Amino acid sequence: MKIQLFLALLLGFFGVLGSAQAGDWAHYGGDAGGSKYSPLAQITPENVRSLEQAWTFSTGDVEERTSDEMRSSALEVTPILADGRLYMCSAFNEVIALHPGTGEQIWRFDPEVATDRRPGNQYTCRGVTYWVDPDAEPTARCASRIFTGTVDSRVISLDARTGEPCTGFGAEGIVAIKPEIDLWWPGEFQITSAPVIAAGKLIIGSAISDNARAEAPRGTVRAYDVRTGEFEWTFDPVPRDASSPVADSWSEDGRAITGHANVWAPMSVDEDRGLVFLPTSSPSPDHFGGTRPGDNRYANSVVALNAATGDVVWHFQTVHHDVWDYDLPAQPSLITLQRDGEPVDVVAQVTKTGFMFVLERDTGEPFFGVEERAVPQDGAPGEHLSPTQPFPVAPPPFTPQKITPEEGWGMLLFDEWSCESRLAELRSEGLFTPPTLGGTVLYPFTGGGANWGGMSFDPERQIAVVHTLSIAMEVRLIERDAYDGGNITNDAGERAPQVGADYAMTRGVMLSPLGVPCSPPPWSSLTGIDLSDGTIAWTVPLGTIEKIAPVPLPFKWGAPTMGGSINTRTGLAFIAATSDDKFRAFNTLTGEELWQADLPSSGAAIPMTYEWDGRQYVLIAAGGFGRTSVEMSDQVIAFALPE
């Protein structure tokens, strides 16, 4: 391991000059509950157009990595500000401390991850976690710490002042996670999101490659003593024990062999209640559930655990018996709403299906109500579909959920005809149409709806802001004896064996001959949801197609990629998350675009904001998204008003 102590002796022991208390962004989601809200008020709707670039920082990956390595990565990090420093991780898990006012590197830690692992979820690191030991002397080594997870499944504890490993944690600062079964290749199992800390426990999930096999790595959530790294508890979303209260939602064989249902997205913490909230994913494999009859509870669920013990306090399933890869992809948002003039603490969970489920935080009961409604049946032979699925009474869906052949879209007439013809050949009965041998339209596709960018929330205006995609995908099951082997993921889609299931599968975004989505625009939107009454306040296209169309066109049809928004006290929503390489500010109440700036590549990340020496900064990682970006970058860019 290499540690570059750039200015560490000077700055590590005497601190960085300046102060940043009320303006801290100390957690990945701004706060432990993931509201992505800042009380800062220096930047307003009236002056936001004056924002200018204040500083930039480059991780060095563009110069040091090969083109193939960069194309297998995504700079999705949201830095945090704590104890007078910015802390972040690169796509390749290097942890870096920066000066908040200049972007100057203070220290850097390189865990030296191998770049030949073929991670199913790219080389990426969405964030790090900061913790202060309340029992340590402030000047003691590792009195404050930075924790991170890596692509090779290590959990690392670093001294926040110097970047040196905290040797009392695990083995010389490292806990190596070993999956319960052998991996088929090194990148089948990884960590992409920051851990959380609650009740003295460091709690961490995992990301697992989709669709290779039914008997896949388990989606176990693990907790360790935050000081020592000693094992504390685990929670497996697939109940292996027949005595589990949800065991009857699985077959006996399904409980034994099924993997996944992992927590790859960020978790949230309510420290006062001693709860950690998990957004669980789909069980293996994604598109055929014949090996796991039943609703498969704890999968595709918001699960509230006792942070001290790992025991389930409550759970709410958003998709029964998932065969669409409709994971819960985003951090649960712990927010407070009003009912009859009284505050009610809730959990708001956005989903790939385009639904937002709002649940009371103490019980998991729906705040606005949820109905079980009949959904399409007649899946592939051997499938065991749920006859109903949960539909929120409010808010309404924030993305379209059905497409007909007549709605097939193209830039030119022949383009449109091609999409209409393809849609007419596939089964398309709306949300929850099951995968079939003849081909099925998934709309929304497996990327959402919402994805890991999640939602941000303005508590004064009671507005949630959600970045959403609206793209159709074709998924097709393949008879086992007709599958000729291989597991391929590329720009055209994915083809995978689903070993142990009756069928292999192929899936891909439906594109016209000219390379644009067959679903009608906008393909990327920003939506404001009024949670005072559960209604859609506004929806606007997010981005132009000038960089993704065959000819540069400035049409506001939405420029899809990943990322999310933040809100500020003055009624601003900041977001990048477009393939037109822009960073934008919107009016939270109306959705009006107020400002935009050019980025070196797409900002496939969630921004953050902080105050330093009396100046408010808004920061975005603009590194691109390896699978879709034309140009890759490795920059973190801070904007501020002129001094």
Side-chain angles (χ1 to χ4, degrees):
M1 298 177 185
K2 301 175 182 176
I3 300 178
Q4 301 174 7
L5 296 179
F6 189 73
L7 298 180
L9 292 177
L10 176 63
L11 299 174
F13 294 97
F14 297 101
V16 181
L17 296 178
S19 61
Q21 298 301 316
D24 279 8
W25 187 281
H27 300 266
Y28 169 82
D31 52 57
S35 70
K36 305 183 185 74
Y37 172 80
S38 171
L40 296 178
Q42 187 178 100
I43 302 170
T44 69
E46 291 72 33
N47 64 24
V48 67
R49 293 185 187 277
S50 299
L51 282 179
E52 61 184 20
Q53 187 172 301
W55 57 258
T56 64
F57 172 78
S58 170
T59 67
D61 285 328
V62 168
E63 289 188 3
E64 298 173 7
R65 308 285 179 181
T66 67
S67 175
D68 286 346
E69 288 171 347
M70 292 302 295
R71 284 292 166 193
S72 67
S73 73
L75 186 63
E76 297 177 350
V77 66
T78 299
I80 60 174
L81 178 74
D83 197 25
R85 291 177 179 177
L86 289 167
Y87 297 100
M88 61 169 284
C89 50
S90 75
F92 297 91
N93 296 124
E94 293 182 79
V95 182
I96 304 164
L98 302 177
H99 188 291
T102 65
E104 187 175 18
Q105 180 176 301
I106 299 170
W107 58 254
R108 186 182 192 113
F109 172 85
D110 185 358
E112 297 184 331
V113 299
T115 56
D116 59 355
R117 299 182 62 84
R118 295 188 296 119
N121 297 280
Q122 301 184 288
Y123 285 93
T124 194
C125 175
R126 296 192 184 98
V128 298
T129 303
Y130 176 79
W131 178 72
V132 175
D133 188 340
D135 297 332
E137 292 294 327
T139 57
R141 190 169 184 272
C142 293
S144 58
R145 306 187 187 197
I146 295 295
F147 294 93
T148 190
T150 65
V151 69
D152 53 11
S153 308
R154 289 177 286 166
V155 184
I156 301 174
S157 176
L158 303 174
D159 188 322
R161 293 185 305 171
T162 66
E164 295 177 340
C166 295
T167 55
F169 180 87
E172 300 299 314
I174 296 173
V175 169
I177 294 177
K178 181 175 174 56
E180 291 86 349
I181 65 174
D182 291 339
L183 301 181
W184 278 8
W185 75 96
E188 189 179 12
F189 184 98
Q190 64 187 114
I191 299 168
T192 56
S193 292
V196 296
I197 296 170
K201 312 293 188 290
L202 183 80
I203 305 167
I204 196 158
S206 61
I208 305 172
S209 297
D210 289 340
N211 296 315
R213 46 179 168 159
E215 190 171 359
R218 296 181 179 183
T220 306
V221 175
R222 296 168 171 85
Y224 303 92
D225 184 282
V226 70
R227 290 185 183 85
T228 67
E230 292 182 4
F231 168 78
E232 292 285 346
W233 54 257
T234 62
F235 169 71
D236 187 344
V238 179
R240 310 295 168 180
D241 194 326
S243 65
S244 167
V246 298
D248 61 357
S249 68
W250 296 78
S251 66
E252 184 176 353
D253 288 344
R255 286 191 291 104
I257 69 167
T258 302
H260 296 194
N262 49 303
V263 179
W264 60 264
M267 294 173 274
S268 293
V269 168
D270 185 326
E271 190 70 53
D272 291 339
R273 288 175 169 85
L275 298 178
V276 57
F277 296 88
L278 318 182
T280 66
S281 66
S282 56
S284 61
D286 282 344
H287 296 302
F288 182 72
T291 59
R292 47 177 173 85
D295 282 354
N296 306 147
R297 293 191 184 268
Y298 294 156
N300 300 89
S301 299
V302 179
V303 182
L305 298 183
N306 181 313
T309 65
D311 294 333
V312 176
V313 176
W314 60 258
H315 60 98
F316 184 91
Q317 190 173 55
T318 62
V319 177
H320 308 320
H321 190 80
D322 185 5
V323 291
W324 304 274
D325 192 14
Y326 283 156
D327 301 342
L328 288 187
Q331 182 177 24
S333 300
L334 308 188
I335 61 176
T336 300
L337 303 181
Q338 297 289 319
R339 177 189 286 150
D340 300 327
E342 297 294 327
V344 180
D345 291 340
V346 301
V347 182
Q349 179 69 60
V350 294
T351 67
K352 290 182 179 181
T353 58
F355 288 136
M356 177 192 290
F357 290 87
V358 183
L359 310 170
E360 296 195 22
R361 204 179 307 172
D362 288 319
T363 64
E365 290 297 315
F367 181 81
F368 289 114
V370 171
E371 298 175 347
E372 288 287 331
R373 299 178 187 171
V375 294
Q377 296 296 294
D378 300 322
E383 186 55 270
H384 302 271
L385 298 171
S386 172
T388 65
Q389 293 289 348
F391 285 69
V393 174
F398 50 76
T399 194
Q401 296 176 325
K402 185 176 182 179
I403 185 170
T404 65
E406 293 73 26
E407 294 172 298
W409 195 88
M411 297 189 69
L412 300 174
L413 195 56
F414 83 92
D415 217 29
E416 182 178 325
W417 286 345
S418 174
C419 285
E420 289 177 352
S421 176
R422 286 187 63 195
L423 285 166
E425 294 172 354
L426 301 173
R427 186 174 174 187
S428 181
E429 300 168 28
L431 189 64
F432 301 122
T433 303
T436 58
L437 291 163
T440 294
V441 177
L442 262 62
Y443 191 59
F445 82 132
T446 58
N451 209 282
W452 54 260
M455 60 170 265
S456 56
F457 182 68
D458 183 325
E460 295 182 25
R461 297 163 184 84
Q462 296 280 283
I463 298 288
V465 177
V466 184
H467 170 226
T468 183
L469 303 177
S470 180
I471 296 173
M473 170 179 273
E474 176 185 348
V475 61
R476 187 182 298 266
L477 299 178
I478 305 170
E479 293 276 11
R480 179 60 56 200
D481 58 6
Y483 185 72
D484 58 4
N487 190 343
I488 301 169
T489 301
N490 54 37
D491 293 342
E494 181 182 358
R495 184 169 169 272
Q498 299 193 141
V499 170
D502 292 352
Y503 308 98
M505 75 93 207
T506 181
R507 64 185 181 184
V509 170
M510 297 186 69
L511 300 177
S512 76
L514 290 178
V516 296
C518 282
S519 48
W523 303 304
S524 177
S525 300
L526 196 65
T527 299
I529 301 175
D530 187 342
L531 289 180
S532 68
D533 59 7
T535 60
I536 302 293
W538 50 264
T539 298
V540 296
L542 184 61
T544 66
I545 65 165
E546 54 191 304
K547 291 196 174 183
I548 62 173
V551 292
L553 297 170
F555 300 145
K556 290 186 176 181
W557 290 343
T561 191
M562 296 297 173
S565 60
I566 64 171
N567 286 97
T568 70
R569 180 182 172 188
T570 57
L572 290 172
F574 288 94
I575 187 169
T578 57
S579 52
D580 64 0
D581 304 346
K582 304 286 188 183
F583 190 27
R584 293 176 167 89
F586 293 84
N587 184 306
T588 300
L589 279 176
T590 66
E592 178 188 1
E593 183 178 318
L594 301 176
W595 169 82
Q596 67 171 241
D598 291 324
L599 298 174
S601 188
S602 62
I606 297 170
M608 55 87 73
T609 185
Y610 62 94
E611 183 178 318
W612 185 258
D613 279 347
R615 193 181 189 194
Q616 183 181 353
Y617 296 81
V618 184
L619 186 150
I620 184 70
F625 190 72
R627 292 174 179 167
T628 60
S629 294
V630 176
E631 296 289 338
M632 296 294 290
S633 177
D634 60 5
Q635 293 187 34
V636 175
I637 303 174
F639 295 86
L641 296 173
E643 292 188 281

